[in-house]
Amino acid sequence: MRTVIIDTDPGTDDALALMMALNSADMLIEGITTVGGNATLSDSTYNTLGLLEHLDGKQSVIPVAVGADRPLRGSFTNAYHVHGSGGLGVRLPAPTLEPHGMSAAEFICDRAAGSADRLTVIALGPLTNIAAALDSCPDLVDALAEIVVMGGAFDVPGNVTPHAEFNIHEDPWAANAVFASGAPVTVVGLDVTHRTSMHRRDGPEWFEGASNSAVLGNRILADRFRACDDLQEFYLQDPQAVAAAIAPDVLTCRPARVSVLTDGDERGRTLPEYGGGSVNVAVDVDADRAVRLVRSLISNS
Ligand code: BDR
Ligand code: CA
């Protein structure tokens, strides 16, 4: 059983990742922190609270702490064209759950210091909150079991530029701070996430059953395929980070030191120096097993 904090910017694939974590018997969710990215911070927080209320109920005791509305420099560009209106495509009813009083960075530090188990942070958006937490709490590096990051494009083209993946491109300064912190990081980039997807041809019941997660997961995917005529496969990007936290051996990783370019055309490019370091770069995935895990966790609950 892992005790986790999930940092997220829902985001359609973030929503599927949250469903997996909420349904997993192997994960105890200490809290969820929100960040701008796919959507504005306001939309990503609305979606997080709405998803939690829909999936875990109005009485959910999982805290949601609000984080950064901008990267360490400049502003987020957002990706409504990828994720749909509101950042989720599907509009959830206005949540009655309220955010926690602490900021995301305060919450991460507080729970890491107070938790009996070492926390795993699963970062599904730009790394701004994680960098802020590491900056404000020097002890955090030693208090964390692992930071699992969805981000980067190491030996494959990026998805926002030929060189860069979205989460890293949105805040390359934060990514550098996290990768250089010395905390144990597993980075799940496009090299492996683009090998796991849900196909248009397999719908409209990608997830089986009548559970809240299966029904909403199917609605979210149907909305994306309806909105984007050319889209044939929906990549399981953030879900694969949750899969890796539940079943680390689904990935093959290589230890490296990773730096990120922050300027110019190659902004957000992740450069690995293999042969040792605190960052485990995912270089291969058991794609069938990862997809099965995503399907079963969202279907059965
Ligand atoms: C990442 O960016 C967002 O579009 C997804 O939610 C995922 O976190 C993929 O590049
Ligand atoms: Ca995301």
Side-chain angles (χ1 to χ4, degrees):
M1 168 77 76
R2 283 218 200 196
T3 307
V4 303
I5 290 178
I6 300 174
D7 188 74
T8 185
D9 60 336
T12 48
D13 61 324
D14 299 73
L16 301 185
L18 287 171
M19 291 174 195
M20 293 171 67
L22 285 162
N23 291 346
S24 171
D26 298 318
M27 228 169 230
L28 180 68
I29 305 180
E30 182 79 25
I32 304 174
T33 53
T34 62
V35 64
N38 289 323
T40 62
L41 179 67
S42 158
D43 279 344
S44 83
T45 302
Y46 178 105
N47 292 339
T48 301
L49 291 166
L51 285 162
L52 191 59
E53 189 158 322
H54 185 78
L55 299 165
D56 200 35
K58 283 185 189 304
Q59 311 307 322
S60 178
V61 293
I62 298 176
V64 173
V66 179
D69 66 353
R70 68 197 69 179
L72 297 184
R73 298 183 202 172
S75 50
F76 292 131
T77 56
N78 306 137
Y80 290 98
H81 60 292
V82 174
H83 295 271
S85 67
L88 214 51
V90 168
R91 183 75 174 165
L92 295 168
T96 59
L97 292 172
E98 297 275 351
H100 194 270
M102 287 182 185
S103 72
E106 288 167 347
F107 182 84
I108 293 168
C109 293
D110 180 72
R111 294 302 162 111
S115 172
D117 301 320
R118 280 151 73 93
L119 288 183
T120 295
V121 173
I122 304 176
L124 306 178
L127 289 165
T128 321
N129 291 336
I130 321 301
L134 288 165
D135 186 51
S136 56
C137 319
D139 295 341
L140 186 60
V141 166
D142 297 319
L144 294 177
E146 188 181 8
I147 305 173
V148 181
V149 172
M150 190 283 128
F154 291 85
D155 205 21
V156 295
N159 59 358
V160 282
T161 73
H163 304 289
E165 179 279 332
F166 177 81
N167 288 340
I168 304 297
H169 187 267
E170 286 285 89
D171 196 342
W173 305 277
N176 261 332
V178 171
F179 294 149
S181 68
V185 173
T186 297
V187 61
V188 184
L190 302 183
D191 306 65
V192 291
T193 62
H194 277 186
R195 296 193 219 163
T196 56
S197 52
M198 300 305 249
H199 291 264
R200 177 188 286 271
R201 62 173 181 264
D202 294 333
E205 299 228 348
W206 295 275
F207 307 110
E208 291 167 19
S211 65
N212 279 351
S213 55
V215 172
L216 183 58
N218 286 333
R219 275 178 67 199
I220 288 172
L221 288 187
D223 178 78
R224 285 302 77 213
F225 285 118
R226 193 168 39 240
C228 311
D229 282 344
D230 295 340
L231 186 69
Q232 294 305 321
E233 50 182 328
F234 177 99
Y235 293 126
L236 298 169
Q237 325 251 33
D238 293 339
Q240 207 180 121
V242 172
I246 293 170
D249 60 348
V250 81
L251 296 177
T252 304
C253 296
R254 290 182 69 190
R257 276 176 287 279
V258 174
S259 57
V260 181
L261 300 181
T262 54
D263 297 310
D265 290 348
E266 297 193 19
R267 167 180 162 159
R269 181 171 175 189
T270 39
L271 297 171
E273 199 183 305
Y274 292 111
S278 58
V279 182
N280 262 322
V281 178
V283 294
D284 200 4
V285 60
D286 181 340
D288 289 345
R289 189 170 156 220
V291 173
R292 271 201 310 275
L293 189 55
V294 175
R295 274 202 138 104
S296 66
L297 279 173
I298 295 177
S299 295
N300 302 326
S301 185

